């Protein structure tokens, strides 16, 4: 994989690049397929991005997360405001993401309070290696005790591709982390502790068909490393932040956008995550999804743009903010935080 | 300007301009060949990649490199597939040495 520049493209520049990319606007793709503009229904997934701090610095990261991100992390009053909205609206799933969300000092308190509220499903989007940090002793046990579903990144079943995307040594430490999780019951069918693996393409191409990839991951990870997991989700990389920088540096930007446009699948639209997700930024700002969050495209209703001013009646039925990056979610089998959308 | 332009692959359907029925029959057949069957799509893409190298078709090499990556193949697997093509191509040349030897025998004292 081509190395990306160390500095981040300003958000304005990213939005300009997307708006001037030589493919039709996302809404024009909908129109051609005789589909209406996107609007949100009830929030069933309340996704909280607790900050950009991470122990890794992956080449494809749409968050620009890394060890250098010491400022952009959620403070407790913002968590508390999230808890209030969750208690009032009762979403079935609370999805915690980052960065490495576990590195936020309030992570465990937040999970504990979510459990006390009776949230049905709590998801931790985990990079796996965080579980092996000396500072995170007891983290895996904490997650198991609170029956948190782990959605863990592992792009490939080989060291070469995994390390090319996520950094040297990540594959070996990820395998060790999965082994530790398996030891606690994660990934075993009868334990109730769900371990989902999540794979993004290592380059400028679309992900493989999800169910056949899952079968292959299961077979090879079991045979080579004696580890198990419950299911695999495939995600398409979004042309945002570090992945956008990679596309530009490698000369793949316009071909990739053209590929996403050509692969637009009308059948992938009805399963789009933005239709039932609310995304909260580390500072409490509200977005239609984590990708809009990184492009700083706030939700449409001006009267409900932060968790502190949240108004349910403005959020349900709101028009979803779209731009050309949305073509990543509608390409081929479709893509979202829950995997394929078709 | 080179003889093979990578953008030319996108013009492949133009082959149907003067012989639409033949083109349709070919592309229908092509689509069915690559559908999931007794062999997976992934296996078919790797076979196609190997054959692309054996016939040295630049369009097919680009197309099936992409298709193999998008069906979850690693570059290690793809390189092994190319070695299979190379082994068969090399073996094919070498095994014709049997013909050479038989013919030489016929011509020699």
């Amino acid at each position: 994989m081509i190395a990306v520049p160390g500095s981040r493209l300003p958000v304005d520049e990213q939005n300009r690049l997307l708006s001037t990319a030589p493919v039709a606007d996302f809404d024009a793709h909908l129109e051609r397929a005789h589909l209406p503009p996107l609007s949100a229904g009830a929030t069933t997934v309340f996704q909280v991005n607790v900050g950009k701090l991470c122990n890794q610095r992956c080449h494809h990261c749409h968050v620009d997360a890394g060890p250098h991100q010491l400022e952009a992390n959620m403070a407790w009053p913002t968590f508390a405001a999230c808890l209030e909205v969750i208690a009032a609206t009762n979403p079935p799933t609370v999805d915690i993401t980052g960065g490495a969300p576990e590195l936020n000092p309030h992570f465990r308190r937040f999970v504990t309070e979510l459990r006390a509220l009776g949230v049905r499903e709590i998801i931790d989007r985990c990079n796996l290696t965080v579980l092996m940090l000396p500072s995170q002793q007891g983290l895996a046990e904490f997650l198991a005790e609170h029956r948190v579903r782990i959605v863990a990144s592992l792009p490939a079943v080989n060291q070469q591709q995994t390390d090319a995307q996520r950094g040297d040594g990540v594959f070996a430490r990820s395998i060790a982390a999965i082994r530790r999780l398996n030891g606690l019951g994660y990934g075993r069918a009868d334990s109730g502790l769900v371990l989902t693996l999540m794979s993004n393409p290592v380059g400028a191409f679309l992900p493989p068909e999800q169910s056949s990839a899952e079968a292959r991951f299961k077979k090879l990870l079991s045979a080579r490393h004696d580890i198990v997991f419950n299911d695999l989700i495939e995600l398409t990389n979004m042309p945002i932040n570090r992945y956008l920088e990679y596309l530009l540096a490698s000369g793949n930007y316009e071909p990739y956008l053209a590929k996403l446009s050509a692969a637009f699948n009308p059948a992938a639209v009805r399963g789009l995550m933005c239709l039932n997700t609310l995304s909260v930024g580390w500072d409490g700002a509200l977005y239609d999804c984590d990708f809009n969050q990184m492009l700083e495209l706030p939700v449409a209703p001006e009267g409900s743009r932060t968790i502190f001013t949240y108004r349910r009646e403005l959020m349900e039925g709101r028009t979803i903010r779209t731009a050309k990056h949305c073509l990543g979610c509608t390409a081929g089998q479709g893509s979202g935080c829950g995997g394929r959308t078709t | 300007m080179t003889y093979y332009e990578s953008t030319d692959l996108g013009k492949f359907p133009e082959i149907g301009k003067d012989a639409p029925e033949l083109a349709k029959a070919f592309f229908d057949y092509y689509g069915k060949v690559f559908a999931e069957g007794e062999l997976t799509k992934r296996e078919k893409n790797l076979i196609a990649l190997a054959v692309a190298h054996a016939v040295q078709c630049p369009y097919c090499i680009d197309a099936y490199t992409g298709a193999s990556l998008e069906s979850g193949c690693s570059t290690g697997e793809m390189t092994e597939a190319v070695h299979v093509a190379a082994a068969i191509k090399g073996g094919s040349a070498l095994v014709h040495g049997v013909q050479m030897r038989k013919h030489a025998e016929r011509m020699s004292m």
Side-chain angles (χ1 to χ4, degrees), chain A residues 233-266:
Chain A
I233 58 179
E234 288 283 351
L235 263 78
T236 302
N237 287 312
M238 292 289 139
I240 294 174
N241 267 332
R242 241 173 258 154
Y243 187 71
L244 171 58
E245 290 168 5
Y246 154 72
L247 290 174
L248 292 167
S250 62
N252 279 304
Y253 176 60
E254 289 191 4
Y256 188 71
L257 266 288
K259 183 187 279 281
L260 297 182
S261 173
F264 177 79
N265 179 3

PDB file of all heavy atoms in Angstrom, chain A residues 233-266:
ATOM      1  N   ILE A 233     -18.557  -9.021   8.885  1.00  0.00           N
ATOM      2  CA  ILE A 233     -19.195  -8.002   8.056  1.00  0.00           C
ATOM      3  C   ILE A 233     -18.139  -7.355   7.162  1.00  0.00           C
ATOM      4  O   ILE A 233     -16.985  -7.198   7.555  1.00  0.00           O
ATOM      5  CB  ILE A 233     -19.953  -6.953   8.894  1.00  0.00           C
ATOM      6  CG1 ILE A 233     -19.045  -6.238   9.888  1.00  0.00           C
ATOM      7  CG2 ILE A 233     -21.113  -7.581   9.624  1.00  0.00           C
ATOM      8  CD1 ILE A 233     -19.765  -5.183  10.724  1.00  0.00           C
ATOM      9  N   GLU A 234     -18.570  -7.047   5.955  1.00  0.00           N
ATOM     10  CA  GLU A 234     -17.678  -6.416   4.965  1.00  0.00           C
ATOM     11  C   GLU A 234     -18.095  -4.962   4.793  1.00  0.00           C
ATOM     12  O   GLU A 234     -19.280  -4.683   4.618  1.00  0.00           O
ATOM     13  CB  GLU A 234     -17.786  -7.134   3.614  1.00  0.00           C
ATOM     14  CG  GLU A 234     -17.152  -8.513   3.584  1.00  0.00           C
ATOM     15  CD  GLU A 234     -15.632  -8.455   3.492  1.00  0.00           C
ATOM     16  OE1 GLU A 234     -15.075  -7.358   3.283  1.00  0.00           O
ATOM     17  OE2 GLU A 234     -15.003  -9.527   3.646  1.00  0.00           O
ATOM     18  N   LEU A 235     -17.131  -4.075   4.846  1.00  0.00           N
ATOM     19  CA  LEU A 235     -17.408  -2.649   4.660  1.00  0.00           C
ATOM     20  C   LEU A 235     -16.639  -2.101   3.476  1.00  0.00           C
ATOM     21  O   LEU A 235     -15.477  -2.464   3.262  1.00  0.00           O
ATOM     22  CB  LEU A 235     -16.983  -1.856   5.908  1.00  0.00           C
ATOM     23  CG  LEU A 235     -18.096  -1.540   6.896  1.00  0.00           C
ATOM     24  CD1 LEU A 235     -18.403  -2.773   7.723  1.00  0.00           C
ATOM     25  CD2 LEU A 235     -17.689  -0.400   7.793  1.00  0.00           C
ATOM     26  N   THR A 236     -17.278  -1.222   2.746  1.00  0.00           N
ATOM     27  CA  THR A 236     -16.595  -0.503   1.665  1.00  0.00           C
ATOM     28  C   THR A 236     -15.869   0.704   2.261  1.00  0.00           C
ATOM     29  O   THR A 236     -16.413   1.381   3.130  1.00  0.00           O
ATOM     30  CB  THR A 236     -17.627  -0.027   0.626  1.00  0.00           C
ATOM     31  OG1 THR A 236     -18.330  -1.171   0.136  1.00  0.00           O
ATOM     32  CG2 THR A 236     -16.965   0.696  -0.533  1.00  0.00           C
ATOM     33  N   ASN A 237     -14.662   0.959   1.796  1.00  0.00           N
ATOM     34  CA  ASN A 237     -13.932   2.132   2.284  1.00  0.00           C
ATOM     35  C   ASN A 237     -14.536   3.409   1.710  1.00  0.00           C
ATOM     36  O   ASN A 237     -14.850   3.491   0.524  1.00  0.00           O
ATOM     37  CB  ASN A 237     -12.456   2.048   1.877  1.00  0.00           C
ATOM     38  CG  ASN A 237     -11.706   1.016   2.695  1.00  0.00           C
ATOM     39  OD1 ASN A 237     -11.800   0.979   3.910  1.00  0.00           O
ATOM     40  ND2 ASN A 237     -10.960   0.158   2.020  1.00  0.00           N
ATOM     41  N   MET A 238     -14.661   4.402   2.564  1.00  0.00           N
ATOM     42  CA  MET A 238     -15.224   5.685   2.153  1.00  0.00           C
ATOM     43  C   MET A 238     -14.100   6.634   1.733  1.00  0.00           C
ATOM     44  O   MET A 238     -13.062   6.678   2.406  1.00  0.00           O
ATOM     45  CB  MET A 238     -15.941   6.331   3.349  1.00  0.00           C
ATOM     46  CG  MET A 238     -17.169   5.612   3.770  1.00  0.00           C
ATOM     47  SD  MET A 238     -18.469   5.824   2.547  1.00  0.00           S
ATOM     48  CE  MET A 238     -19.093   4.179   2.546  1.00  0.00           C
ATOM     49  N   PRO A 239     -14.324   7.379   0.674  1.00  0.00           N
ATOM     50  CA  PRO A 239     -13.279   8.311   0.224  1.00  0.00           C
ATOM     51  C   PRO A 239     -13.187   9.550   1.113  1.00  0.00           C
ATOM     52  O   PRO A 239     -13.511  10.657   0.711  1.00  0.00           O
ATOM     53  CB  PRO A 239     -13.727   8.664  -1.203  1.00  0.00           C
ATOM     54  CG  PRO A 239     -15.207   8.495  -1.183  1.00  0.00           C
ATOM     55  CD  PRO A 239     -15.508   7.394  -0.205  1.00  0.00           C
ATOM     56  N   ILE A 240     -12.752   9.312   2.325  1.00  0.00           N
ATOM     57  CA  ILE A 240     -12.709  10.350   3.365  1.00  0.00           C
ATOM     58  C   ILE A 240     -11.373  10.229   4.100  1.00  0.00           C
ATOM     59  O   ILE A 240     -10.868   9.114   4.288  1.00  0.00           O
ATOM     60  CB  ILE A 240     -13.861  10.126   4.380  1.00  0.00           C
ATOM     61  CG1 ILE A 240     -15.221  10.330   3.714  1.00  0.00           C
ATOM     62  CG2 ILE A 240     -13.730  11.048   5.581  1.00  0.00           C
ATOM     63  CD1 ILE A 240     -16.388   9.993   4.613  1.00  0.00           C
ATOM     64  N   ASN A 241     -10.857  11.363   4.542  1.00  0.00           N
ATOM     65  CA  ASN A 241      -9.676  11.400   5.411  1.00  0.00           C
ATOM     66  C   ASN A 241      -8.510  10.567   4.888  1.00  0.00           C
ATOM     67  O   ASN A 241      -8.119  10.695   3.749  1.00  0.00           O
ATOM     68  CB  ASN A 241     -10.059  11.001   6.840  1.00  0.00           C
ATOM     69  CG  ASN A 241     -10.396  12.239   7.669  1.00  0.00           C
ATOM     70  OD1 ASN A 241      -9.889  13.321   7.401  1.00  0.00           O
ATOM     71  ND2 ASN A 241     -11.245  12.087   8.646  1.00  0.00           N
ATOM     72  N   ARG A 242      -7.974   9.660   5.707  1.00  0.00           N
ATOM     73  CA  ARG A 242      -6.720   8.993   5.312  1.00  0.00           C
ATOM     74  C   ARG A 242      -6.899   8.111   4.073  1.00  0.00           C
ATOM     75  O   ARG A 242      -5.989   7.992   3.270  1.00  0.00           O
ATOM     76  CB  ARG A 242      -6.210   8.144   6.480  1.00  0.00           C
ATOM     77  CG  ARG A 242      -4.844   8.612   6.953  1.00  0.00           C
ATOM     78  CD  ARG A 242      -4.447   7.865   8.197  1.00  0.00           C
ATOM     79  NE  ARG A 242      -4.645   8.673   9.371  1.00  0.00           N
ATOM     80  CZ  ARG A 242      -4.862   8.193  10.592  1.00  0.00           C
ATOM     81  NH1 ARG A 242      -4.915   6.901  10.804  1.00  0.00           N
ATOM     82  NH2 ARG A 242      -5.004   9.007  11.612  1.00  0.00           N
ATOM     83  N   TYR A 243      -8.062   7.513   3.940  1.00  0.00           N
ATOM     84  CA  TYR A 243      -8.283   6.690   2.745  1.00  0.00           C
ATOM     85  C   TYR A 243      -8.359   7.581   1.503  1.00  0.00           C
ATOM     86  O   TYR A 243      -7.859   7.209   0.441  1.00  0.00           O
ATOM     87  CB  TYR A 243      -9.573   5.868   2.900  1.00  0.00           C
ATOM     88  CG  TYR A 243      -9.770   4.880   1.772  1.00  0.00           C
ATOM     89  CD1 TYR A 243      -8.964   3.751   1.656  1.00  0.00           C
ATOM     90  CD2 TYR A 243     -10.738   5.089   0.804  1.00  0.00           C
ATOM     91  CE1 TYR A 243      -9.123   2.863   0.600  1.00  0.00           C
ATOM     92  CE2 TYR A 243     -10.913   4.208  -0.242  1.00  0.00           C
ATOM     93  CZ  TYR A 243     -10.104   3.090  -0.338  1.00  0.00           C
ATOM     94  OH  TYR A 243     -10.265   2.212  -1.385  1.00  0.00           O
ATOM     95  N   LEU A 244      -8.958   8.748   1.638  1.00  0.00           N
ATOM     96  CA  LEU A 244      -8.985   9.707   0.532  1.00  0.00           C
ATOM     97  C   LEU A 244      -7.549  10.113   0.170  1.00  0.00           C
ATOM     98  O   LEU A 244      -7.192  10.199  -1.003  1.00  0.00           O
ATOM     99  CB  LEU A 244      -9.819  10.930   0.932  1.00  0.00           C
ATOM    100  CG  LEU A 244      -9.788  12.134  -0.019  1.00  0.00           C
ATOM    101  CD1 LEU A 244     -10.253  11.751  -1.421  1.00  0.00           C
ATOM    102  CD2 LEU A 244     -10.678  13.259   0.527  1.00  0.00           C
ATOM    103  N   GLU A 245      -6.733  10.353   1.187  1.00  0.00           N
ATOM    104  CA  GLU A 245      -5.335  10.727   0.930  1.00  0.00           C
ATOM    105  C   GLU A 245      -4.612   9.595   0.195  1.00  0.00           C
ATOM    106  O   GLU A 245      -3.824   9.833  -0.715  1.00  0.00           O
ATOM    107  CB  GLU A 245      -4.634  11.056   2.251  1.00  0.00           C
ATOM    108  CG  GLU A 245      -5.143  12.348   2.862  1.00  0.00           C
ATOM    109  CD  GLU A 245      -4.682  12.554   4.296  1.00  0.00           C
ATOM    110  OE1 GLU A 245      -3.882  11.742   4.791  1.00  0.00           O
ATOM    111  OE2 GLU A 245      -5.138  13.522   4.923  1.00  0.00           O
ATOM    112  N   TYR A 246      -4.895   8.366   0.609  1.00  0.00           N
ATOM    113  CA  TYR A 246      -4.305   7.210  -0.090  1.00  0.00           C
ATOM    114  C   TYR A 246      -4.756   7.178  -1.551  1.00  0.00           C
ATOM    115  O   TYR A 246      -3.941   6.977  -2.459  1.00  0.00           O
ATOM    116  CB  TYR A 246      -4.682   5.903   0.627  1.00  0.00           C
ATOM    117  CG  TYR A 246      -4.686   4.715  -0.300  1.00  0.00           C
ATOM    118  CD1 TYR A 246      -3.498   4.181  -0.781  1.00  0.00           C
ATOM    119  CD2 TYR A 246      -5.895   4.166  -0.744  1.00  0.00           C
ATOM    120  CE1 TYR A 246      -3.504   3.115  -1.680  1.00  0.00           C
ATOM    121  CE2 TYR A 246      -5.911   3.115  -1.630  1.00  0.00           C
ATOM    122  CZ  TYR A 246      -4.715   2.596  -2.095  1.00  0.00           C
ATOM    123  OH  TYR A 246      -4.732   1.559  -2.991  1.00  0.00           O
ATOM    124  N   LEU A 247      -6.066   7.383  -1.774  1.00  0.00           N
ATOM    125  CA  LEU A 247      -6.577   7.355  -3.155  1.00  0.00           C
ATOM    126  C   LEU A 247      -5.893   8.420  -4.005  1.00  0.00           C
ATOM    127  O   LEU A 247      -5.506   8.165  -5.155  1.00  0.00           O
ATOM    128  CB  LEU A 247      -8.090   7.584  -3.166  1.00  0.00           C
ATOM    129  CG  LEU A 247      -8.976   6.473  -2.602  1.00  0.00           C
ATOM    130  CD1 LEU A 247     -10.435   6.932  -2.546  1.00  0.00           C
ATOM    131  CD2 LEU A 247      -8.863   5.189  -3.428  1.00  0.00           C
ATOM    132  N   LEU A 248      -5.725   9.603  -3.437  1.00  0.00           N
ATOM    133  CA  LEU A 248      -5.093  10.693  -4.186  1.00  0.00           C
ATOM    134  C   LEU A 248      -3.624  10.382  -4.450  1.00  0.00           C
ATOM    135  O   LEU A 248      -3.130  10.533  -5.571  1.00  0.00           O
ATOM    136  CB  LEU A 248      -5.222  12.009  -3.405  1.00  0.00           C
ATOM    137  CG  LEU A 248      -6.649  12.570  -3.295  1.00  0.00           C
ATOM    138  CD1 LEU A 248      -6.700  13.672  -2.240  1.00  0.00           C
ATOM    139  CD2 LEU A 248      -7.122  13.106  -4.642  1.00  0.00           C
ATOM    140  N   ALA A 249      -2.930   9.915  -3.418  1.00  0.00           N
ATOM    141  CA  ALA A 249      -1.486   9.663  -3.555  1.00  0.00           C
ATOM    142  C   ALA A 249      -1.197   8.522  -4.527  1.00  0.00           C
ATOM    143  O   ALA A 249      -0.151   8.497  -5.180  1.00  0.00           O
ATOM    144  CB  ALA A 249      -0.886   9.350  -2.180  1.00  0.00           C
ATOM    145  N   SER A 250      -2.132   7.581  -4.637  1.00  0.00           N
ATOM    146  CA  SER A 250      -1.898   6.408  -5.488  1.00  0.00           C
ATOM    147  C   SER A 250      -2.504   6.567  -6.877  1.00  0.00           C
ATOM    148  O   SER A 250      -2.421   5.644  -7.693  1.00  0.00           O
ATOM    149  CB  SER A 250      -2.491   5.162  -4.810  1.00  0.00           C
ATOM    150  OG  SER A 250      -3.898   5.299  -4.661  1.00  0.00           O
ATOM    151  N   GLY A 251      -3.127   7.710  -7.146  1.00  0.00           N
ATOM    152  CA  GLY A 251      -3.740   7.926  -8.466  1.00  0.00           C
ATOM    153  C   GLY A 251      -5.041   7.167  -8.643  1.00  0.00           C
ATOM    154  O   GLY A 251      -5.517   6.984  -9.763  1.00  0.00           O
ATOM    155  N   ASN A 252      -5.641   6.742  -7.545  1.00  0.00           N
ATOM    156  CA  ASN A 252      -6.863   5.930  -7.628  1.00  0.00           C
ATOM    157  C   ASN A 252      -8.145   6.710  -7.344  1.00  0.00           C
ATOM    158  O   ASN A 252      -9.225   6.116  -7.334  1.00  0.00           O
ATOM    159  CB  ASN A 252      -6.788   4.770  -6.619  1.00  0.00           C
ATOM    160  CG  ASN A 252      -5.959   3.609  -7.138  1.00  0.00           C
ATOM    161  OD1 ASN A 252      -6.234   3.076  -8.201  1.00  0.00           O
ATOM    162  ND2 ASN A 252      -4.926   3.240  -6.397  1.00  0.00           N
ATOM    163  N   TYR A 253      -8.029   8.009  -7.068  1.00  0.00           N
ATOM    164  CA  TYR A 253      -9.212   8.735  -6.584  1.00  0.00           C
ATOM    165  C   TYR A 253     -10.370   8.713  -7.599  1.00  0.00           C
ATOM    166  O   TYR A 253     -11.455   8.216  -7.295  1.00  0.00           O
ATOM    167  CB  TYR A 253      -8.849  10.176  -6.212  1.00  0.00           C
ATOM    168  CG  TYR A 253     -10.041  10.983  -5.795  1.00  0.00           C
ATOM    169  CD1 TYR A 253     -10.814  10.594  -4.692  1.00  0.00           C
ATOM    170  CD2 TYR A 253     -10.454  12.113  -6.505  1.00  0.00           C
ATOM    171  CE1 TYR A 253     -11.931  11.310  -4.305  1.00  0.00           C
ATOM    172  CE2 TYR A 253     -11.571  12.842  -6.123  1.00  0.00           C
ATOM    173  CZ  TYR A 253     -12.304  12.431  -5.030  1.00  0.00           C
ATOM    174  OH  TYR A 253     -13.425  13.136  -4.654  1.00  0.00           O
ATOM    175  N   GLU A 254     -10.110   9.227  -8.782  1.00  0.00           N
ATOM    176  CA  GLU A 254     -11.216   9.295  -9.749  1.00  0.00           C
ATOM    177  C   GLU A 254     -11.686   7.906 -10.200  1.00  0.00           C
ATOM    178  O   GLU A 254     -12.895   7.663 -10.268  1.00  0.00           O
ATOM    179  CB  GLU A 254     -10.839  10.185 -10.942  1.00  0.00           C
ATOM    180  CG  GLU A 254     -10.781  11.647 -10.511  1.00  0.00           C
ATOM    181  CD  GLU A 254     -10.670  12.612 -11.670  1.00  0.00           C
ATOM    182  OE1 GLU A 254     -10.713  12.179 -12.828  1.00  0.00           O
ATOM    183  OE2 GLU A 254     -10.557  13.821 -11.399  1.00  0.00           O
ATOM    184  N   PRO A 255     -10.753   6.952 -10.475  1.00  0.00           N
ATOM    185  CA  PRO A 255     -11.234   5.599 -10.817  1.00  0.00           C
ATOM    186  C   PRO A 255     -12.082   4.976  -9.696  1.00  0.00           C
ATOM    187  O   PRO A 255     -13.054   4.274  -9.974  1.00  0.00           O
ATOM    188  CB  PRO A 255      -9.943   4.803 -11.030  1.00  0.00           C
ATOM    189  CG  PRO A 255      -8.928   5.817 -11.412  1.00  0.00           C
ATOM    190  CD  PRO A 255      -9.303   7.068 -10.662  1.00  0.00           C
ATOM    191  N   TYR A 256     -11.717   5.251  -8.437  1.00  0.00           N
ATOM    192  CA  TYR A 256     -12.483   4.662  -7.325  1.00  0.00           C
ATOM    193  C   TYR A 256     -13.885   5.264  -7.262  1.00  0.00           C
ATOM    194  O   TYR A 256     -14.875   4.541  -7.109  1.00  0.00           O
ATOM    195  CB  TYR A 256     -11.747   4.883  -5.998  1.00  0.00           C
ATOM    196  CG  TYR A 256     -12.369   4.141  -4.827  1.00  0.00           C
ATOM    197  CD1 TYR A 256     -12.280   2.754  -4.729  1.00  0.00           C
ATOM    198  CD2 TYR A 256     -13.047   4.824  -3.818  1.00  0.00           C
ATOM    199  CE1 TYR A 256     -12.849   2.072  -3.655  1.00  0.00           C
ATOM    200  CE2 TYR A 256     -13.618   4.153  -2.747  1.00  0.00           C
ATOM    201  CZ  TYR A 256     -13.514   2.771  -2.671  1.00  0.00           C
ATOM    202  OH  TYR A 256     -14.079   2.104  -1.611  1.00  0.00           O
ATOM    203  N   LEU A 257     -13.974   6.587  -7.403  1.00  0.00           N
ATOM    204  CA  LEU A 257     -15.296   7.224  -7.410  1.00  0.00           C
ATOM    205  C   LEU A 257     -16.125   6.707  -8.585  1.00  0.00           C
ATOM    206  O   LEU A 257     -17.326   6.450  -8.451  1.00  0.00           O
ATOM    207  CB  LEU A 257     -15.154   8.750  -7.490  1.00  0.00           C
ATOM    208  CG  LEU A 257     -15.151   9.539  -6.171  1.00  0.00           C
ATOM    209  CD1 LEU A 257     -16.534   9.561  -5.546  1.00  0.00           C
ATOM    210  CD2 LEU A 257     -14.173   9.001  -5.151  1.00  0.00           C
ATOM    211  N   ALA A 258     -15.471   6.523  -9.725  1.00  0.00           N
ATOM    212  CA  ALA A 258     -16.181   5.996 -10.904  1.00  0.00           C
ATOM    213  C   ALA A 258     -16.658   4.572 -10.636  1.00  0.00           C
ATOM    214  O   ALA A 258     -17.767   4.177 -11.032  1.00  0.00           O
ATOM    215  CB  ALA A 258     -15.265   6.039 -12.124  1.00  0.00           C
ATOM    216  N   LYS A 259     -15.837   3.804  -9.937  1.00  0.00           N
ATOM    217  CA  LYS A 259     -16.212   2.422  -9.601  1.00  0.00           C
ATOM    218  C   LYS A 259     -17.441   2.415  -8.679  1.00  0.00           C
ATOM    219  O   LYS A 259     -18.384   1.655  -8.887  1.00  0.00           O
ATOM    220  CB  LYS A 259     -15.021   1.731  -8.917  1.00  0.00           C
ATOM    221  CG  LYS A 259     -15.248   0.267  -8.576  1.00  0.00           C
ATOM    222  CD  LYS A 259     -14.086  -0.294  -7.762  1.00  0.00           C
ATOM    223  CE  LYS A 259     -12.915  -0.680  -8.600  1.00  0.00           C
ATOM    224  NZ  LYS A 259     -13.074  -1.972  -9.284  1.00  0.00           N
ATOM    225  N   LEU A 260     -17.415   3.287  -7.653  1.00  0.00           N
ATOM    226  CA  LEU A 260     -18.558   3.361  -6.735  1.00  0.00           C
ATOM    227  C   LEU A 260     -19.825   3.756  -7.484  1.00  0.00           C
ATOM    228  O   LEU A 260     -20.904   3.197  -7.251  1.00  0.00           O
ATOM    229  CB  LEU A 260     -18.290   4.371  -5.613  1.00  0.00           C
ATOM    230  CG  LEU A 260     -17.139   4.084  -4.654  1.00  0.00           C
ATOM    231  CD1 LEU A 260     -17.058   5.178  -3.592  1.00  0.00           C
ATOM    232  CD2 LEU A 260     -17.267   2.722  -3.989  1.00  0.00           C
ATOM    233  N   SER A 261     -19.682   4.723  -8.391  1.00  0.00           N
ATOM    234  CA  SER A 261     -20.846   5.192  -9.145  1.00  0.00           C
ATOM    235  C   SER A 261     -21.388   4.082 -10.048  1.00  0.00           C
ATOM    236  O   SER A 261     -22.598   3.833 -10.088  1.00  0.00           O
ATOM    237  CB  SER A 261     -20.447   6.421  -9.972  1.00  0.00           C
ATOM    238  OG  SER A 261     -21.495   6.792 -10.830  1.00  0.00           O
ATOM    239  N   ALA A 262     -20.471   3.408 -10.746  1.00  0.00           N
ATOM    240  CA  ALA A 262     -20.904   2.342 -11.672  1.00  0.00           C
ATOM    241  C   ALA A 262     -21.551   1.188 -10.912  1.00  0.00           C
ATOM    242  O   ALA A 262     -22.408   0.487 -11.447  1.00  0.00           O
ATOM    243  CB  ALA A 262     -19.707   1.845 -12.480  1.00  0.00           C
ATOM    244  N   ALA A 263     -21.125   0.993  -9.658  1.00  0.00           N
ATOM    245  CA  ALA A 263     -21.643  -0.136  -8.870  1.00  0.00           C
ATOM    246  C   ALA A 263     -22.869   0.251  -8.048  1.00  0.00           C
ATOM    247  O   ALA A 263     -23.329  -0.532  -7.207  1.00  0.00           O
ATOM    248  CB  ALA A 263     -20.540  -0.665  -7.943  1.00  0.00           C
ATOM    249  N   PHE A 264     -23.411   1.460  -8.275  1.00  0.00           N
ATOM    250  CA  PHE A 264     -24.595   1.902  -7.518  1.00  0.00           C
ATOM    251  C   PHE A 264     -25.702   0.848  -7.638  1.00  0.00           C
ATOM    252  O   PHE A 264     -26.080   0.453  -8.735  1.00  0.00           O
ATOM    253  CB  PHE A 264     -25.105   3.240  -8.043  1.00  0.00           C
ATOM    254  CG  PHE A 264     -26.353   3.711  -7.348  1.00  0.00           C
ATOM    255  CD1 PHE A 264     -26.295   4.310  -6.099  1.00  0.00           C
ATOM    256  CD2 PHE A 264     -27.608   3.537  -7.936  1.00  0.00           C
ATOM    257  CE1 PHE A 264     -27.438   4.735  -5.452  1.00  0.00           C
ATOM    258  CE2 PHE A 264     -28.768   3.957  -7.294  1.00  0.00           C
ATOM    259  CZ  PHE A 264     -28.677   4.557  -6.049  1.00  0.00           C
ATOM    260  N   ASN A 265     -26.191   0.428  -6.497  1.00  0.00           N
ATOM    261  CA  ASN A 265     -27.193  -0.635  -6.468  1.00  0.00           C
ATOM    262  C   ASN A 265     -28.462  -0.127  -5.765  1.00  0.00           C
ATOM    263  O   ASN A 265     -28.459   0.035  -4.543  1.00  0.00           O
ATOM    264  CB  ASN A 265     -26.619  -1.850  -5.730  1.00  0.00           C
ATOM    265  CG  ASN A 265     -27.610  -2.999  -5.629  1.00  0.00           C
ATOM    266  OD1 ASN A 265     -28.717  -2.932  -6.161  1.00  0.00           O
ATOM    267  ND2 ASN A 265     -27.212  -4.057  -4.947  1.00  0.00           N
ATOM    268  N   PRO A 266     -29.507   0.134  -6.522  1.00  0.00           N
ATOM    269  CA  PRO A 266     -30.735   0.660  -5.897  1.00  0.00           C
ATOM    270  C   PRO A 266     -31.243  -0.225  -4.757  1.00  0.00           C
ATOM    271  O   PRO A 266     -31.808   0.275  -3.782  1.00  0.00           O
ATOM    272  CB  PRO A 266     -31.736   0.686  -7.059  1.00  0.00           C
ATOM    273  CG  PRO A 266     -30.905   0.723  -8.299  1.00  0.00           C
ATOM    274  CD  PRO A 266     -29.651  -0.039  -7.988  1.00  0.00           C
TER     275      PRO A 266
END
